[in-house]
Amino acid sequence: MAAAMHPWLGEFIQRIERQELPHAQAAGGVLSDADLVELLDSQLASRLLDLQSRLMQAAGQSFYTIGSSGHEANAAVAKAMRVSDPAFLHYRSGAFFLQRAKQKPGTTPLYDMLLSFAASSDDPISGGRHKVLGSLELHIPPQTSTIASHVPKAMGTAFAIGLSKRLQHQGTWPHDAIAMCSFGDASANHSTALGAINSASWAAYQQIPMPLLFVCEDNGLGISTHTPQGWIQQQLSQRPALKYFFADGSNLAETYLVAQQAADYVRQKRKPAILHLRTIRLFGHAGADAEVAYRSKQEIALDAERDPLLHSCAAVIARGLFDSESLVTHIRRQQQRMVRIANQAAQQPKLTSATDVMRSIVPPKKDPSTLPAVPDATRREGLFKWDKHNVGKPQHLAKLLNWALHDLMAQYGSIVMCGEDIAKKGGVYHVTQHLMEAFGPNRVLNTVLDEQSILGLAIGMAQQGFIAMPEIQFLAYVHNAEDQIRGEAATLSFFSDGQYTNPMVIRIAGLAYQRGFGGHFHNDNSFAVFRDIPGVIVLCPSNGADGALLMRQAVQLAAAEQRVVIMLEPIALYMARDLHQEGDAGWLSHYPDVTTPLPELGEPAVYGDGEELAIISYGNGYYLSRQAEKQLADAGHRVRVLDIRCLVPLHVDKIVAALGNSKKLLIVDECRRRGSLSEELITALHEDYPGHFSIQRLTAEDSFIPLGKAAYTVLPSRDGITEKAMMMLRGGQS
């Protein structure tokens, strides 16, 4: 059982008893007596939670000690806002959480947070998966971020609230809501935060509604690194279209007044604002952090005198709401109550199996009967009138993807596309051409050149009930923003026990073999990062017909199963027309009718029925393997070629079922030998079907892609595939 009282609390109580409190700051009539006591109790409860967590950790009952001590002024920020305003919270926002819960009768925030500290499976937000500040009924999506990776999606949510009003979309949050996002002064320097703040300012500068309140809780430290004096004010007060407010977090009345002014400004003007809240940090960064290693005793003592709880206690005594004795009695009672709740929370069940832990990686499915109907023939005829000279004729991948997007945006009124150059220009490869003309600038949006902001915008829109469809212009560009997928989009269901989701389809133009505009940054053949993210689905079409079907499948997965889906679109095949020789039109496809059944997820496409050898590939590798198949057929060999199509997760059982009686397998992977899909596939085949297959693989070299013809020296080729296959057919080994 946890100890009864933390030593710090004993010293704090003695100070009140000795009446050694700072001079009470004037409240100026801002807070009523009841308001002042209410906020003090939220601050006190937050402090007691921090102390109790450290006691529980010492007893082996708690697993998280990064607390909110010194930041409790954010309780006043919560009071200045509505419970229906989505709040993306800094991890030192315990008092905000507790204060907001007071706006929702029947909630049990102390017990809920202690369950979270104890990693109990009864924790109502994460189910024991992490200590997060989050609640569905309090409109606080859970965050695990310590480096501001939640700021882009807060920006996206604010934009989506305004977009909902323009599109008359009934979203998660009401049209008059404002989004709030808090972060520390150290995080204010992170490129993720700076990009999101810039994007919010960029939108507001153009009079685009952006109802977003940034709250920078400035304690002057990033773990052990000091923030330069005056840096935060200098950095945040001079941004275009971003109004700056400042409050001293030691003064509860001032903080509430300024927070109210800032929130009212954002709500009425629908413009972003920054509340620079001066705070302190007590007890170090976390439980194991010894501040004396990098701070002087004088610095620590000066911060202790600015303790917001100390000043709030002085305020209630000065107003005559408590005397020293009654306040001490009140604090002791609250502490004893905290101990009782903590002891109960510590005894609650924990996650005990991998199945339990992983249950929330995949979001809960929706009722598929609620999906919208396909547009009728008249609507579709009008939709494609602009391209009627091509309708009915076989087309390349880019064109059929474009047609599929037209159909899908007409069917799903909640699809919103965003990305660089996708509107009037129609994207670098014209995949999004004419969509803005057909569906308007509120559904096809040009963005800043910042992939973190593009993906954050999409996450925010998805949480507001849209089906977000961001485009990343080139695969290489996603790597500077991959944490928005890995650490934010994909983890939301996991850390909220499936209560929060962000269904989206992320379109990424990528892979290798692009002619004329190549080099590593436009010919990136590595998508390994996506293979390492639980819950994400990666689809990759190689031809137009599959492109249309997989795009429909991706949207259906997002709409009906709330999944995060990546459509990896091979640039080199966008405009491919011919297969074996110039003019044969062998890689053009007819547009699949809208009633065409979708492939089962993970089911590969199969060409040919030969069983001497099976070639397994995807994307450009499948295209080249089809060319090699003809050479092999001309040499008298009957082989089949599989197009995997669903790259993540790999459905090995479906791949094996498509092999027929083939025992010799050649895996062709245009990605690098190390870290490529072929590693996973060959391992799974050996583990699941030991001794059953003879397997070889042909991959790209472990190299970046150079410019020009040199690119083809490090990538698989048609002739290389044919040579490898012939060797296997002759019974040779590499």
Side-chain angles (χ1 to χ4, degrees):
M1 181 177 294
M5 181 181 290
H6 191 281
W8 180 91
L9 184 58
E11 295 173 6
F12 185 78
I13 287 173
Q14 288 176 9
R15 183 163 180 176
I16 296 173
E17 290 174 332
R18 293 194 301 264
Q19 300 184 26
E20 296 175 354
L21 297 176
H23 177 71
Q25 296 156 325
V30 174
L31 292 170
S32 68
D33 291 350
D35 289 339
L36 184 57
V37 172
E38 177 184 88
L39 287 170
L40 169 66
D41 272 348
S42 294
Q43 293 183 306
L44 174 61
S46 179
R47 182 68 57 85
L48 293 174
L49 276 170
D50 286 356
L51 300 174
Q52 195 64 41
S53 180
R54 292 177 178 232
L55 293 171
M56 292 170 68
Q57 185 190 49
Q61 298 173 336
S62 175
F63 306 93
Y64 196 90
T65 57
I66 298 181
S68 305
S69 295
H71 284 243
E72 290 92 351
N74 53 42
V77 181
K79 188 170 180 60
M81 300 181 68
R82 300 173 184 172
V83 72
S84 56
D85 294 330
F88 300 83
L89 298 180
H90 181 44
Y91 55 89
R92 298 196 191 277
S93 299
F96 182 105
F97 185 89
L98 294 169
Q99 179 62 35
R100 172 161 284 197
K102 292 176 180 177
Q103 296 176 304
K104 191 77 173 179
T107 55
T108 55
L110 291 177
Y111 185 54
D112 296 347
M113 291 180 71
L114 285 161
L115 286 171
S116 183
F117 294 168
S120 170
S121 55
D122 285 350
D123 166 23
I125 185 61
S126 77
R129 294 172 181 85
H130 205 284
K131 184 271 178 184
V132 289
L133 294 171
S135 168
L136 187 65
E137 58 188 344
L138 298 181
H139 299 281
I140 302 176
Q143 316 305 318
T144 61
S145 167
T146 61
I147 55 167
S149 62
H150 61 303
V151 185
K153 65 181 179 183
M155 177 274 298
T157 297
F159 178 88
I161 289 170
L163 182 66
S164 293
K165 184 175 182 179
R166 297 195 294 278
L167 293 176
Q168 292 302 300
H169 167 77
Q170 187 62 47
T172 308
W173 295 294
H175 293 167
D176 64 348
I178 68 174
M180 175 268 191
C181 180
S182 58
F183 49 89
D185 52 294
S187 292
N189 298 305
H190 200 281
S191 63
T192 311
L194 294 171
I197 293 170
N198 179 72
S199 294
S201 298
W202 183 84
Y205 185 78
Q206 302 172 78
Q207 305 303 314
I208 299 171
M210 181 60 70
L212 176 58
L213 177 59
F214 294 110
V215 180
C216 180
E217 300 185 15
D218 178 6
N219 62 31
L221 289 162
I223 305 182
S224 67
T225 302
H226 288 68
T227 298
Q229 186 72 29
W231 170 250
I232 293 300
Q233 180 177 359
Q234 185 75 16
Q235 184 197 154
L236 298 179
S237 65
Q238 301 181 31
R239 292 184 173 273
L242 180 66
K243 191 170 180 63
Y244 175 84
F245 295 85
F246 174 82
D248 179 358
S250 296
N251 187 328
L252 199 54
E254 177 186 318
T255 301
Y256 175 65
L257 175 63
V258 176
Q260 197 172 50
Q261 292 171 344
D264 288 348
Y265 171 85
V266 174
R267 198 178 306 278
Q268 293 166 14
K269 301 291 187 181
R270 314 308 288 172
K271 292 182 177 181
I274 177 79
L275 171 56
H276 178 194
L277 187 60
R278 189 176 70 178
T279 66
I280 60 168
R281 191 188 73 189
L282 298 176
F283 313 142
H285 174 70
D289 180 33
E291 282 191 304
V292 292
Y294 54 86
R295 298 185 76 194
S296 70
K297 292 182 179 179
Q298 183 181 15
E299 281 183 293
I300 297 171
L302 286 172
D303 268 0
E305 291 305 308
R306 292 176 48 217
D307 183 348
L309 189 59
L310 199 63
H311 284 268
S312 296
C313 286
V316 296
I317 290 176
R319 201 180 285 196
L321 303 175
F322 290 93
D323 58 24
S324 297
E325 183 179 353
S326 61
L327 182 56
V328 166
T329 300
H330 179 71
I331 293 173
R332 288 185 183 277
R333 285 174 178 168
Q334 295 301 94
Q335 186 266 340
Q336 290 164 5
R337 177 170 176 255
M338 187 71 67
V339 171
R340 291 195 299 270
I341 298 172
N343 288 334
Q344 183 179 356
Q347 298 173 30
Q348 301 314 302
K350 310 293 192 292
L351 295 169
T352 57
S353 70
T355 300
D356 290 341
V357 170
M358 297 168 64
R359 178 171 42 81
S360 63
I361 290 176
V362 174
K365 294 182 181 180
K366 290 185 175 180
D367 182 356
S369 67
T370 62
L371 297 180
V374 173
D376 60 32
T378 303
R379 173 83 191 279
R380 295 190 67 246
E381 183 179 355
L383 197 63
F384 292 98
K385 190 175 181 179
W386 69 281
D387 208 13
K388 62 182 180 181
H389 61 287
N390 282 319
V391 173
K393 302 174 184 177
Q395 303 293 331
H396 52 61
L397 172 62
K399 176 68 73 174
L400 295 192
L401 285 173
N402 177 264
W403 288 359
L405 290 171
H406 274 82
D407 266 331
L408 288 164
M409 290 193 74
Q411 179 181 359
Y412 295 85
S414 59
I415 290 179
V416 177
M417 302 187 68
C418 61
E420 183 191 354
D421 295 322
I422 70 166
K424 279 191 176 182
K425 181 178 174 65
V428 175
Y429 300 100
H430 309 297
V431 176
T432 60
Q433 67 173 326
H434 206 263
L435 289 170
M436 191 192 78
E437 289 81 358
F439 300 102
N442 285 317
R443 294 189 62 197
V444 185
L445 314 168
N446 275 344
T447 67
V448 293
L449 199 166
D450 176 24
E451 286 73 26
Q452 292 184 109
S453 290
I454 292 170
L455 292 171
L457 174 62
I459 297 171
M461 290 195 298
Q463 288 190 221
Q464 178 63 354
F466 292 104
I467 298 175
M469 191 176 285
E471 175 183 292
I472 302 299
Q473 203 166 80
F474 293 100
L475 176 59
Y477 296 177
V478 81
H479 297 306
N480 63 36
E482 61 194 34
D483 191 54
Q484 287 299 302
I485 303 173
R486 183 199 66 82
E488 295 295 341
T491 62
L492 186 59
S493 176
F494 180 72
F495 286 123
S496 69
D497 205 18
Q499 297 170 81
Y500 281 100
T501 60
N502 36 217
M504 63 180 67
V505 178
I506 304 170
R507 293 184 46 251
I508 303 177
L511 299 178
Y513 297 95
Q514 186 180 181
R515 297 177 184 272
F517 186 48
H520 165 66
F521 289 103
H522 303 102
N523 254 348
D524 188 355
N525 64 337
S526 174
F527 61 95
V529 60
F530 305 134
R531 297 175 48 238
D532 192 38
I533 304 175
V536 164
I537 294 172
V538 180
L539 305 178
C540 180
S542 64
N543 59 83
D546 274 353
L549 293 175
L550 293 182
M551 188 67 78
R552 294 171 189 170
Q553 185 172 50
V555 171
Q556 189 176 99
L557 286 165
E561 300 188 20
Q562 307 190 83
R563 302 298 293 270
V564 175
V565 185
I566 295 171
M567 275 288 289
L568 186 58
E569 301 168 8
I571 296 171
L573 297 176
Y574 269 148
M575 310 297 177
R577 302 177 63 85
D578 306 321
L579 178 58
H580 299 299
Q581 58 189 16
E582 186 175 351
D584 69 9
W587 212 245
L588 300 180
S589 307
H590 284 282
Y591 184 56
D593 185 80
V594 290
T595 62
T596 303
L598 299 179
E600 187 176 345
L601 183 64
E603 177 187 358
V606 182
Y607 179 83
D609 58 2
E611 295 183 335
E612 290 182 67
L613 173 75
I615 303 175
I616 306 172
S617 194
Y618 61 91
N620 295 294
Y622 176 69
Y623 175 76
L624 296 171
S625 296
R626 285 285 302 275
Q627 294 177 336
E629 182 274 336
K630 185 177 186 304
Q631 291 185 328
L632 293 168
D634 291 345
H637 296 287
R638 295 180 65 247
V639 305
R640 68 177 61 195
V641 187
L642 273 61
D643 186 355
I644 299 176
R645 298 191 294 190
C646 179
L647 309 186
V648 180
L650 270 181
H651 292 72
V652 179
D653 56 337
K654 292 184 173 65
I655 293 171
V656 170
L659 293 174
N661 292 319
S662 303
K663 295 294 187 292
K664 293 183 177 181
L665 311 181
L666 173 59
I667 302 170
V668 177
D669 192 336
E670 69 180 275
C671 293
R672 300 165 195 159
R673 185 171 185 84
R674 185 177 69 246
S676 64
L677 189 77
S678 59
E679 283 187 330
E680 179 183 354
L681 181 55
I682 200 169
T683 300
L685 290 169
H686 275 299
E687 287 181 345
D688 297 346
Y689 304 89
H692 192 74
F693 299 108
S694 173
I695 310 171
Q696 294 288 316
R697 64 178 177 139
L698 183 64
T699 71
E701 299 293 339
D702 287 332
S703 171
F704 300 110
I705 307 297
L707 193 63
K709 292 183 179 180
Y712 302 101
T713 66
V714 296
L715 294 168
S717 66
R718 176 198 63 184
D719 292 343
I721 297 169
T722 302
E723 181 181 348
K724 189 86 167 182
M726 289 294 290
M727 180 198 66
M728 293 182 68
L729 289 165
R730 291 193 297 266
Q733 298 292 321
S734 61

